[in-house]
Amino acid sequence: VIGIMGIEMAGGVYCPLSPRDPQHRLYALTQQTQSRLVLLHHLTKVKFYLNIVVLDIDSILNISNMDNKVNNNCFSSVKVKGKEIAYIIFTSGSTGTPKAVQVRHKNFIDCIHSFIYINLFNKNDTVIQIARCSFDIHVQEILGTLLAGGTLVMLHQGGNIDFDYLAKVFENKQITYITAVPSILHIFFTSIQQNKNMKAVKYLRSLCGGGE
């Protein structure tokens, strides 16, 4: 989340890469986007070739001598235009070579505004982050929630398919909004119904399903 926000606030273009992908695919995607920098952490260091410039986010977050003159009310003075690219998402490549889809700031903001307008989610919602980073819906879950002023809940690794854990998160964090593909929604709601645990979703007020 910090990485995504930092890239956007600096006026950069965000392009997620999945650590599940093989090394040769990751290399090909960085070459296709002509990425100047890959942001990673201790679990993903080994996924990239030595000739790619990388930055370990863990080392940044551990810096203790940060400038105390930073104005926390104005993190960035960078101005971006609606026509500029906000992020790039690659297609699955099921029909051949993965294709880079460029999403502009205006497109993304208009999309989020439309969701807020129809009250799909709003500043009072608590949103759970389900999608993998290789699917563009994760940008809506993360940045869309924060732009709307809502509360974002992140899962531990593999938590989106651990349905007992997911049910506990729903109840304990009082989740009010979720967006996911139909297969995940079907399995999750079947699971809580079979376990007679419908109270897990008693706070849920809005649901969005799509994809596949």
Side-chain angles (χ1 to χ4, degrees):
V1 176
I2 294 172
I4 298 173
M5 293 182 66
I7 292 169
E8 295 299 332
M9 292 172 69
V13 179
Y14 167 60
C15 179
L17 299 173
S18 174
R20 297 185 180 189
D21 288 342
Q23 194 174 32
H24 66 85
R25 174 181 164 91
L26 294 174
Y27 179 77
L29 298 185
T30 56
Q31 294 301 300
Q32 188 174 338
T33 57
Q34 299 181 351
S35 299
R36 293 175 53 194
L37 183 68
V38 176
L39 190 64
L40 43 70
H41 55 73
H42 65 285
L43 295 177
T44 54
K45 281 183 178 180
V46 297
K47 299 292 292 188
F48 294 92
Y49 294 104
L50 295 177
N51 61 337
I52 294 179
V53 179
V54 298
L55 180 63
D56 187 347
I57 193 170
D58 293 328
S59 65
I60 300 173
L61 298 178
N62 289 329
I63 295 176
S64 58
N65 59 341
M66 294 293 289
D67 186 356
N68 57 12
K69 295 180 181 179
V70 173
N71 182 0
N72 292 328
N73 295 315
C74 183
F75 288 119
S76 175
S77 59
V78 176
K79 294 182 179 180
V80 295
K81 297 179 180 179
K83 64 181 180 181
E84 294 177 345
I85 305 300
Y87 63 92
I88 297 173
I89 291 286
F90 279 93
T91 61
S92 63
S94 57
T95 59
T97 305
K99 300 175 181 64
V101 179
Q102 299 177 336
V103 180
R104 302 181 189 279
H105 284 279
K106 184 180 186 306
N107 301 132
F108 177 67
I109 294 299
D110 286 348
C111 174
I112 299 304
H113 277 172
S114 68
F115 288 155
I116 296 173
Y117 179 77
I118 64 174
N119 200 27
L120 189 64
F121 59 82
N122 58 53
K123 65 180 181 179
N124 299 315
D125 279 314
T126 300
V127 180
I128 193 165
Q129 202 277 305
I130 292 283
R132 298 208 314 260
C133 69
S134 50
F135 297 103
D136 66 342
I137 198 68
H138 84 280
V139 183
Q140 174 202 312
E141 291 175 326
I142 297 173
L143 293 184
T145 298
L146 298 178
L147 285 170
T151 301
L152 180 66
V153 175
M154 306 294 290
L155 300 173
H156 69 51
Q157 187 174 5
N160 60 342
I161 54 174
D162 182 347
F163 298 109
D164 290 335
Y165 162 75
L166 199 56
K168 291 178 182 177
V169 172
F170 260 81
E171 184 173 7
N172 294 338
K173 299 299 182 181
Q174 301 181 11
I175 302 300
T176 60
Y177 173 76
I178 179 178
T179 180
V181 294
S183 59
I184 291 291
L185 293 174
H186 174 72
I187 297 172
F188 174 62
F189 282 102
T190 299
S191 172
I192 60 175
Q193 186 177 35
Q194 290 176 344
N195 292 328
K196 298 180 180 180
N197 188 27
M198 294 304 294
K199 65 177 182 178
V201 292
K202 65 180 179 180
Y203 299 102
L204 188 65
R205 73 160 197 91
S206 180
L207 181 151
C208 180
E212 298 183 327

